[in-house]
Amino acid sequence: MISAVRTLVSTMAALLVVSCAESPTSHSEPPGQGVTDVATGLAVPWGIAFLPDGSALIAERNTGAIMHRLPTGAVTEAGRVADVQARGEGGLLGLATTGSTVYAYVTTGSDNRVVRVDFDGSALGAQTPILTGIPAGSIHDGGRIAFGPDGKLYVATGERGTPELAQDLSSLGGKILRINPDGSIPADNPDPQSPVWSYGHRNVQGLAWDPAGRMWATEYGARTWDELNLIQPGGNYGWPTVEGRAGRDGLIDPVLQWSTDEASPSGLAYHAGSLWVAALRGQRLIRIPVAADGALGPSSPLFVNQFGRLRTVVGAPDGSLWFTTSNRDGRGDARDGDDRILQFRE
């Protein structure tokens, strides 16, 4: 079955590359149109995950705190995740939830790992590691986690600045990983003994699925091309052999690519018929329409340079889109009220 899925997705990816080569972009929206503050005064908000009551949990990268944003708009601290060692690009990164159970991607003194944290609706409780040994460094820590439509937890990792790890199938660095919620390895992974779902990645920080179940991921380039990839199980996405499109046998090309000063793509969401990319260096939100057959329409940059560096984007339960600034991460210029979560309604 995996072979059949791989063939189907590979064919679709090839068609998308042809149809989306350097897709044209439209002009950005007027400054701040349709945007309001959801929360302000945060310390490098990274992950966001919603709870069944519509409230949201927010990970602060540098403090290790998980903030709780209530439906009333009040923001309180739910607690701090243990053993977080914030250094460089690492710290408390991605969040995901199932019911009231919280999952977090954490940089420790020895590795990156995924932990499960109990949450009683107001405060964090016991913490249990479910996946350890992901290479950690001061750069390229990946960090996005998300549950797919299959109920499995997907984990985006980086190669910590050691490019050869991306092609090393014995390493968890430079990969997208797939595990069960308890941390065990699904029997239908490409290798049933390994959590590796795809490899050859430099630094993935965005994961999303469209209604047809297609899995998309954003990836940072080195000096030339940032990428949007259509992910297939067992696929090799080329790093460090290639960056961007290369047309080499055995390597999967991105369906879209941007110059690194235009994007530096972090968060990714599917919302209201489009993929949305939060760009750091590019300081913009990028909208990419997705047709029912997976073909991508022309991308549109929104809010260019209006809010600074953008890290995370998520669809909210009320139908709006939330996105975060990352101006206090050591590479941006903080503004009054930063860092903030913004809400966009078209």
Side-chain angles (χ1 to χ4, degrees), residues 85-101:
Q85 296 289 320
R87 60 183 188 276
E89 297 174 1
L92 177 58
L93 304 178
L95 292 181
T97 55
T98 54
S100 60
T101 303

Side-chain angles (χ1 to χ4, degrees), residues 168-194:
D168 181 355
L169 290 177
S170 69
S171 171
L172 300 183
K175 311 293 190 299
I176 295 175
L177 311 175
R178 179 179 183 256
I179 58 175
N180 292 314
D182 64 0
S184 62
I185 299 170
D188 58 348
N189 271 11
D191 177 351
Q193 304 301 314
S194 171

Side-chain angles (χ1 to χ4, degrees), residues 235-311:
N236 182 352
Y237 288 80
W239 180 255
T241 304
V242 299
E243 177 185 355
R245 298 188 185 118
R248 296 195 188 183
D249 289 344
L251 304 181
I252 301 174
D253 281 343
V255 294
L256 281 180
Q257 61 185 29
W258 303 272
S259 65
T260 53
D261 59 349
E262 184 182 4
S264 291
S266 183
L268 178 67
Y270 178 87
H271 178 75
S274 294
L275 291 167
W276 299 79
V277 179
L280 290 163
R281 187 176 177 185
Q283 298 190 24
R284 67 195 66 189
L285 195 63
I286 303 171
R287 176 171 49 196
I288 309 162
V290 183
D293 63 359
L296 303 183
S299 62
S300 304
L302 282 72
F303 315 123
V304 178
N305 300 324
Q306 296 302 315
F307 303 110
R309 293 162 59 81
L310 304 183
R311 169 74 64 183

Side-chain angles (χ1 to χ4, degrees), residues 27 31 50 64 68 157 162 190 195 199-200 202 207 227 232 236 250 252 279:
H27 296 294
F50 290 97
H68 188 195
T157 75
T162 307
Y199 65 105
R202 183 172 181 265
L207 301 173
E227 300 177 0
Q232 67 181 75
N236 182 352
I252 301 174

Side-chain angles (χ1 to χ4, degrees), residues 197-215:
W197 187 247
S198 62
Y199 65 105
H201 299 291
R202 183 172 181 265
N203 191 23
V204 174
Q205 288 188 1
L207 301 173
W209 289 262
D210 64 28
R214 289 175 288 257
M215 182 182 182

Side-chain angles (χ1 to χ4, degrees), residues 25-58:
T25 59
S26 67
H27 296 294
S28 72
E29 296 283 328
Q33 180 175 318
V35 175
T36 56
D37 285 333
V38 167
T40 59
L42 298 170
V44 194
W46 216 101
I48 297 177
F50 290 97
L51 295 166
D53 64 0
S55 65
L57 298 178
I58 305 155

